[in-house]
Amino acid sequence: MKRLLPLLLALLLLPACGGPKETELTVFAAASLQETLTEIGELYQTERPGVSLVFNFDSSGTLKTQIEEGAACDLFISAGRKQMDELDAAVQPAVNADAPEEEEPLDFVLSDTRINLLENKVVLAVPEGNPAGIHSFGELKTALEAGDILLAIGNEDVPVGQYTQKIFAYYGLDEAALNAAGALTYGSNVKEVTTQVSEGTVDCGIIYATDAFSAGLEPVDAATADMCGQVIYPAAALKNSKAPEEAKEFLNYLRTPEAGTVLEAVGFTPLG
């Protein structure tokens, strides 16, 4: 019995010696945030070593669908209001006025956590040397209508693609006709569009200013609010979060000067 006492004492003390349990926080974020959020995450984890950040970067439309289908997610950062609105029961009566009354609104956003986190810009970017000689959206319109160039854009379910559709409407461009004429290529997220421009497989592409910066691309023109509206990135903790307090804390950290410095360095404008 005496021999067993030290072993029993050790077993009783083991949980106390193991230290606090690490919290895993899953963040779904627009692909355009990949470089900056990865860097910010590393900074955050030096301050909060008890929190492990797991990022899922993709188009906001894809992430929204994954959330709808039950994917584990604590915090969602979208590159457009539309995708967040579709998950937020608090705003859906206004944005889905034509939906059938019996259709239940999606209710994933944790009340009082939603904020407009960032603003970005939509730009026209060209490969190194600008071989097609495109210098503005006005010149883009002329070249597209003449069938002289190949333009990369985002799919219609991707925020950057939706902003592009507004730019086309502003200039009176028919996307379906341009696509049928072979003047367009598509990407399932902004990173795919950026890669096409970087590799020179297209003459130009419509992407975010931040992605152009990260890829070392030259933006030759920037879309105005009249052309495509403001490019706002909303963020919110989700109701199905297993760590809502930690999600709120990381969201608050994204609004600090430390995080803001990283975001501003690539062209984001913090709104918090």
Side-chain angles (χ1 to χ4, degrees):
M1 184 65 180
K2 289 182 179 180
R3 292 179 181 179
L4 290 175
L5 285 175
L7 178 60
L8 290 171
L9 182 61
L11 289 172
L12 288 171
L13 291 175
L14 186 60
C17 296
K21 184 178 179 181
E22 187 176 78
T23 299
E24 185 175 276
L25 194 66
T26 302
V27 180
F28 281 26
S32 49
L33 283 162
Q34 184 166 347
E35 292 85 2
T36 48
L37 267 193
T38 299
E39 182 177 347
I40 289 170
E42 291 171 356
L43 293 173
Y44 187 69
Q45 288 181 259
T46 62
E47 295 188 15
R48 291 292 307 276
V51 176
S52 173
L53 293 169
V54 177
F55 291 111
N56 178 21
F57 297 106
D58 211 321
S59 75
S60 300
T62 296
L63 297 175
K64 177 246 176 186
T65 299
Q66 291 174 359
I67 291 168
E68 278 188 76
E69 293 175 349
C73 174
D74 299 293
L75 182 66
F76 178 40
I77 308 174
S78 173
R81 291 187 179 102
K82 181 177 184 290
Q83 289 72 24
M84 186 69 77
D85 287 348
E86 290 173 351
L87 296 173
D88 189 355
V91 302
Q92 282 177 52
V95 297
N96 293 337
D98 296 329
E101 290 185 11
E102 66 273 11
E103 187 175 300
E104 286 292 327
L106 298 177
D107 190 14
F108 287 87
V109 173
L110 186 61
S111 178
D112 299 326
T113 67
R114 178 173 174 172
I115 61 169
N116 288 333
L117 181 65
L118 302 166
E119 184 175 2
N120 207 342
K121 295 291 183 185
V122 173
V123 300
L124 180 61
V126 297
E128 184 177 357
N130 192 6
I134 300 296
H135 299 95
S136 69
F137 280 106
E139 290 183 8
L140 173 68
K141 168 184 166 66
T142 301
L144 283 172
E145 290 178 332
D148 292 338
I149 63 167
L150 181 61
L151 171 70
I153 64 174
N155 290 342
E156 63 180 3
D157 64 335
V158 180
V160 75
Q162 292 159 0
Y163 293 122
T164 298
Q165 289 179 330
K166 293 179 180 179
I167 293 171
F168 280 5
Y170 179 87
Y171 281 103
L173 291 166
D174 185 335
E175 181 184 348
L178 291 172
N179 187 34
L184 304 176
T185 68
Y186 290 85
S188 63
N189 59 51
V190 71
K191 293 299 182 189
E192 290 187 6
V193 180
T194 304
T195 297
Q196 292 181 58
V197 182
S198 296
E199 294 178 349
T201 57
V202 294
D203 296 302
C204 49
I206 298 177
I207 59 176
Y208 297 124
T210 53
D211 289 284
F213 179 91
S214 297
L217 293 171
E218 177 192 1
V220 294
D221 201 1
T224 65
D226 287 340
M227 292 164 63
C228 68
Q230 279 187 289
V231 184
I232 301 297
Y233 285 51
L238 299 188
K239 284 188 173 181
N240 66 351
S241 171
K242 295 182 179 179
E245 293 308 313
E246 287 81 0
K248 293 177 189 177
E249 287 176 12
F250 183 58
L251 184 54
N252 287 334
Y253 182 78
L254 293 176
R255 304 167 79 181
T256 63
E258 293 79 9
T261 297
V262 177
L263 293 161
E264 288 174 338
V266 301
F268 282 111
T269 300
L271 300 176

